[in-house]
Amino acid sequence: MKKLIVLLALALAGCTTAGPTTTGDAQQGCVTDYAEGRDYFPDKSTVDESELWDISYHNSYKTITLTDTETTTGTKLTYVLYQCGTPQPKAAGDLEGALFVQVPVTNVAVTSFNALAMVDRLGKSASITGLSGQLLDNAKKDPWYDGVVKSAGQPVSVGEYTDLDKEALLGGKTQAILMSGFGQGFDDISNARAAGLPGISVSNRMERHALASAEWIKMVGAFYNAEAAANAEFDKIKSRYDEVVRTVSGKIDNRRVGYLCVTPERGCEFVYGHGAETLVGRLFTQLGVTNVFARDNGAPNGKPYDFEAGVGAGADADFFAVYDPMKMTLDTLKADPRMARFRPFREGTFIAGVDKNFEECRAKTYLDVDVLIRDLAIGLAPELFPGASGTCFTRQ
């Protein structure tokens, strides 16, 4: 208790403790008869798709190394996950400056939509002791969020992104904060770590390929010693994803398509289009279609287009996937006659978010990439999926 009070006081004063960061007070699954050299992780994961993280096992601890997507220097973040009941490894050599976390974790805070979906899919929602205010608010309007919050018990609000509630996090003995790694220009994880908080970067949205994004469930699973469950879930996603690719291969070529946002309520001044380097942009490439927003759009999250640039890029598109809710999309099309300059909006050859599933899908899309690619494929070529309807995206 004395140590907790000291840490809390330092955090509230804006100070950090020297040396490696250590978190955790895990009790479940602790080793009671430690023996040096014994392998305490019979279930292991391998990283086959991701370009941003890797994992290695060392008997009583495992190390996760991942690219710090918030910087341009190519630096690596290192997390050392050591089995409860075994000695903490020394913070020396390759482990110097690492974040040390006892596993399996039992007290976790989540501010990332994608991470929340992964924790829930692994059946570990009961470990969630804190959620961002935004995620808690979603529970008031969405059944899936409400179910996760109820499974968690009584998670407290831990603030938002760069404005985390240090007192709530430290007082709750939080072992890990699963946060979104949004990429360059953001400093959420950097700020958390600088404040002595156990911020973990869940950067799956920054992956270049869809299956690589889904594979981050293995990274999250490692904190729970849930490698077997994570591996099984990923294998199911990959199998369903590959089946869609086989179904459409060579059958929807020569289509001109776009993935975009159009509603002002969601921050789109006119339209915001995804280029060739985004996850969905690469899905379009795999599906064999032409992305109308690919030219001069190499940002990993796409870019905004004003009216002139937007029409210039997308006027000859024949299909759009709009990542806004359908009702918002239809309201925008009605309110802004300029949208009629786009053929998909004139002819109704577009899909948009399923209203009732929108918030849930927002959390799950970059995990359930099998659902995402299937929804896109159904929208592009419904004749290949007779009687099927989209889960997250649908026609009006």
Side-chain angles (χ1 to χ4, degrees):
M1 178 61 70
K2 183 180 292 185
K3 180 179 180 181
L4 174 61
I5 293 173
V6 171
L7 285 172
L8 178 58
L10 287 169
L12 291 173
C15 301
T16 59
T17 55
T21 306
T22 305
T23 74
D25 190 21
Q27 298 300 319
Q28 298 179 6
C30 286
V31 171
T32 58
D33 57 348
Y34 170 70
E36 186 175 355
R38 181 183 297 170
D39 185 356
Y40 289 99
F41 304 112
D43 297 321
K44 297 177 174 60
S45 290
T46 58
V47 181
D48 302 311
E49 303 286 344
S50 174
E51 299 174 341
L52 297 180
W53 72 280
D54 206 348
I55 188 169
S56 59
Y57 293 84
H58 312 275
N59 291 330
S60 63
Y61 70 95
K62 42 194 167 183
T63 59
I64 294 175
T65 55
L66 64 153
T67 300
D68 184 354
T69 58
E70 293 181 346
T71 72
T72 60
T73 60
T75 55
K76 297 288 185 178
L77 301 174
T78 302
Y79 307 136
V80 179
L81 316 184
Y82 65 101
Q83 180 62 37
C84 182
T86 70
Q88 178 181 318
K90 293 182 179 180
D94 292 341
L95 304 187
E96 185 175 357
L99 175 68
F100 289 77
V101 182
Q102 276 188 355
V103 294
V105 291
T106 56
N107 297 326
V108 171
V110 183
T111 64
S112 161
F113 291 86
N114 293 176
L116 186 66
M118 295 175 192
V119 173
D120 179 63
R121 187 65 54 80
L122 293 168
K124 301 297 183 180
S125 297
S127 70
I128 299 172
T129 55
L131 288 170
S132 68
Q134 187 176 15
L135 296 180
L136 281 171
D137 286 344
N138 282 347
K140 301 173 184 177
K141 57 185 178 182
D142 181 86
W144 176 74
Y145 278 96
D146 182 56
V148 174
V149 169
K150 287 178 178 176
S151 295
Q154 298 292 327
V156 300
S157 176
V158 296
E160 306 289 348
Y161 302 118
T162 56
D163 188 21
L164 295 175
D165 186 333
K166 300 175 185 177
E167 182 175 2
L169 289 162
L170 291 171
K173 297 184 179 181
T174 305
Q175 297 165 270
I177 312 168
L178 301 177
M179 307 177 67
S180 295
F182 289 119
Q184 296 174 18
F186 295 87
D187 55 7
D188 300 34
I189 291 97
S190 302
N191 284 341
R193 292 294 299 275
L197 296 172
I200 306 296
S201 179
V202 183
S203 317
N204 61 306
R205 280 184 58 93
M206 304 306 297
E207 292 281 3
R208 299 192 302 163
H209 300 284
L211 288 174
S213 175
E215 195 172 31
W216 279 71
I217 194 172
K218 296 180 184 178
M219 197 279 278
V220 172
F223 284 83
Y224 293 96
N225 288 347
E227 279 88 343
N231 294 341
E233 186 59 35
F234 176 74
D235 288 345
K236 288 189 291 185
I237 292 170
K238 184 178 186 303
S239 177
R240 293 189 292 255
Y241 179 96
D242 290 342
E243 177 60 29
V244 173
V245 173
R246 286 192 295 269
T247 299
V248 303
S249 181
K251 299 174 184 175
I252 55 174
D253 297 345
N254 303 319
R255 300 291 302 279
R256 294 184 59 79
V257 308
Y259 186 73
L260 69 164
C261 162
V262 299
T263 63
E265 296 95 324
R266 300 192 64 239
C268 300
E269 184 176 348
F270 181 59
V271 302
Y272 193 105
H274 280 219
E277 300 302 318
T278 69
L279 184 147
V280 174
R282 290 178 179 273
L283 278 181
F284 284 158
T285 299
Q286 186 160 29
L287 290 170
V289 298
T290 298
N291 182 353
V292 297
F293 296 114
R295 185 177 179 181
D296 300 325
N297 187 358
N301 287 311
K303 71 176 186 180
Y305 291 79
D306 60 20
F307 173 70
E308 182 178 354
V311 171
D316 62 348
D318 51 48
F319 175 82
F320 278 161
V322 184
Y323 57 93
D324 295 319
M326 179 61 80
K327 185 180 185 305
M328 278 189 182
T329 300
L330 295 176
D331 288 346
T332 299
L333 300 186
K334 183 177 179 180
D336 190 346
R338 298 177 301 170
M339 291 297 176
R341 293 288 297 273
F342 295 113
R343 179 180 162 194
F345 292 144
R346 289 197 309 271
E347 301 181 356
T349 54
F350 69 91
I351 57 176
V354 175
D355 291 321
K356 68 176 183 178
N357 296 342
F358 185 77
E359 293 299 338
E360 177 179 354
C361 287
R362 185 182 177 192
K364 293 182 176 180
T365 297
Y366 285 79
L367 169 61
D368 291 338
V369 295
D370 54 321
V371 175
L372 174 59
I373 194 172
R374 185 174 184 270
D375 282 0
L376 294 175
I378 291 172
L380 282 161
E383 69 277 5
L384 298 178
F385 303 85
S389 58
T391 302
C392 293
F393 291 90
T394 187
R395 290 180 182 263
Q396 58 178 315

